[in-house]
């Protein structure tokens, strides 16, 4: 690796601190009362002042400490160079943020080398926000392949039930057909890719199904590492590994499937009609 293990761990430590600062910014924007909402491509594709401020904060902090790092963020700041890439989603679950569904919101920083996701940081700015008067808000979950994942208590869905999480705002017939084929015991539509992966690792869901091309690389890079570090799996809907090199297209055009356990069951149930509609 062009950057040694020591450099990677320096980057992970910096990203952890930067993600915590990002969570503070997310909370401050709401506290100040003006979300500064603008529509990007549609009424469901929104950007807020928090998206903009967090993206600037993350990118400037990383670029200052690691000037050769490639930083690819959702809010269109220019990348630099190098094979070590950080994929940034400054506010995952923006629509839910604007609607007050604060437990759906995360900040995502995924680190990849030569196309492979190797480290990830997920900050939940509003973790614990419903815990009563004056709760201590926020937590940061992080993981490195080969080292593990930290900041949460790993749990599994009891009784091998098929409890599926899926998109709240991007559903379509492909999504519903795919989920139906998996014979779910329960289906819940919630916001935020980071939030849904956390539900997998905390025993609130057994699969996260996104049979649609709506999700981007910055949505899945950090969550993929956290999931893999505890024995889970995240692939496209065909079972192919997702790539995270700087030249790759940003859209996960073949959707994705994530599980903590029993991956083979879920991927085997994906209908051929869904696979044929979602081209890698």
């Amino acid at each position: 690796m062009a950057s040694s293990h020591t450099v990677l761990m320096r980057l992970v430590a910096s990203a952890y601190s930067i993600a915590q600062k990002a969570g503070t910014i997310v909370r401050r924007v709401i506290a100040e009362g003006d979300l500064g909402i603008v529509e990007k491509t549609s009424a469901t594709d929104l950007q807020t002042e928090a998206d903009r401020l967090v993206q600037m904060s993350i990118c400037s902090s990383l670029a200052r400490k690691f000037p050769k790092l490639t930083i690819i963020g959702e809010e269109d700041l220019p990348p630099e160079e190098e094979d070590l890439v950080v994929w940034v989603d400054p506010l995952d679950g923006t629509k839910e943020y604007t609607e007050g569904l604060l437990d759906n919101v995360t900040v995502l920083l995924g680190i990849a080398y030569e196309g492979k996701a190797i480290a990830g940081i997920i900050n939940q700015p509003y973790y614990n926000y419903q815990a009563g008067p004056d709760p201590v808000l926020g937590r940061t979950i992080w993981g490195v392949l080969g080292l593990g994942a930290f900041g949460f208590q790993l749990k599994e869905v009891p009784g091998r039930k098929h409890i599926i999480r899926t998109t709240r705002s991007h559903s379509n017939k492909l999504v519903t057909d795919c989920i139906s084929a998996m014979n779910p015991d329960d289906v819940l539509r919630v916001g935020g890719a980071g939030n849904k992966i956390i539900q997998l690792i905390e025993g609130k869901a057994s699969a996260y199904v996104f049979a649609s091309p709506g999700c981007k690389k910055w949505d899945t890079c950090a969550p993929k590492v956290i999931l893999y570090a505890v024995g889970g799996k995240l692939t496209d809907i065909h079972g192919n590994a997702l790539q995270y090199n700087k030249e790759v297209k940003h859209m996960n055009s073949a959707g994705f499937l994530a599980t903590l356990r029993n991956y083979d069951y879920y991927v085997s149930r994906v209908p051929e009609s869904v696979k044929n509609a979602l081209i890698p």
Side-chain angles (χ1 to χ4, degrees):
M1 182 186 275
S3 54
S4 66
H5 179 75
T6 301
V7 172
L8 173 61
M9 294 315 294
R10 278 184 51 229
L11 176 56
V12 171
S14 293
Y16 182 95
S17 299
I18 289 165
Q20 289 189 307
K21 180 183 177 184
T24 301
I25 295 170
V26 171
R27 292 191 295 271
R28 189 184 75 215
V29 169
I30 275 192
E32 290 176 350
D34 182 7
L35 296 185
I37 300 168
V38 297
E39 291 186 12
K40 293 198 292 184
T41 60
S42 70
T44 60
D45 185 16
L46 305 178
Q47 184 190 83
T48 69
E49 184 68 3
D51 291 89
R52 296 184 287 272
L53 291 176
V54 169
Q55 176 102 352
M56 286 189 289
S57 174
I58 290 172
C59 293
S60 62
S61 296
L62 286 174
R64 187 168 59 249
K65 295 179 180 179
F66 303 92
K68 291 187 176 181
L69 194 66
T70 298
I71 304 166
I72 304 175
E74 180 175 4
E75 306 309 335
D76 292 330
L77 295 185
E80 294 293 330
E81 56 180 318
E82 199 45 86
D83 288 329
L84 195 61
V85 181
V86 179
W87 293 86
V88 176
D89 192 337
L91 191 66
D92 180 44
T94 297
K95 187 171 186 291
E96 287 71 27
Y97 181 68
T98 66
E99 296 171 356
L101 300 172
L102 302 179
D103 52 337
N104 289 200
V105 173
T106 59
V107 177
L108 306 176
L109 287 85
I111 300 169
Y113 181 72
E114 293 185 343
K116 183 179 180 180
I118 57 173
I121 296 92
I122 302 177
N123 179 271
Q124 281 185 293
Y126 287 96
Y127 174 75
N128 213 34
Y129 87 112
Q130 294 176 316
D134 301 318
V136 177
L137 293 179
R139 67 170 170 176
T140 301
I141 292 169
W142 65 283
V144 178
L145 287 189
L147 181 63
F150 310 91
F152 64 98
Q153 184 66 47
L154 181 66
K155 295 180 183 177
E156 296 184 29
V157 169
R160 296 173 69 88
K161 287 189 174 181
H162 302 307
I163 299 175
I164 294 179
R165 295 294 183 263
T166 192
T167 177
R168 178 173 175 263
S169 55
H170 300 285
S171 190
N172 55 35
K173 188 175 186 297
L174 287 177
V175 173
T176 55
D177 287 351
C178 191
I179 291 172
S180 296
M182 294 172 176
N183 296 323
D185 295 296
D186 186 30
V187 178
L188 187 62
R189 301 180 185 279
V190 296
N195 173 47
K196 288 190 276 287
I197 293 294
I198 290 170
Q199 294 204 2
L200 286 183
I201 63 177
E202 293 193 325
K204 298 172 185 174
S206 47
Y208 171 14
V209 179
F210 197 98
S212 171
C215 216
K216 310 292 200 309
K217 292 292 189 295
W218 44 73
D219 295 306
T220 56
C221 188
K224 176 179 178 175
V225 175
I226 303 297
L227 194 55
Y228 271 65
V230 294
K233 197 164 184 178
L234 189 157
T235 67
D236 74 12
I237 213 71
H238 300 267
N240 302 318
L242 298 177
Q243 297 299 309
Y244 293 94
N245 51 291
K246 62 185 178 181
E247 297 87 6
V248 76
K249 61 183 179 181
H250 296 168
M251 181 77 73
N252 292 319
S253 58
F256 68 89
L257 168 66
T259 68
L260 178 60
R261 304 288 182 258
N262 306 319
Y263 170 85
D264 289 345
Y265 168 82
Y266 290 100
V267 76
S268 72
R269 305 290 298 190
V270 176
E272 287 301 315
S273 60
V274 171
K275 292 180 180 179
N276 292 337
L278 297 173
I279 308 302

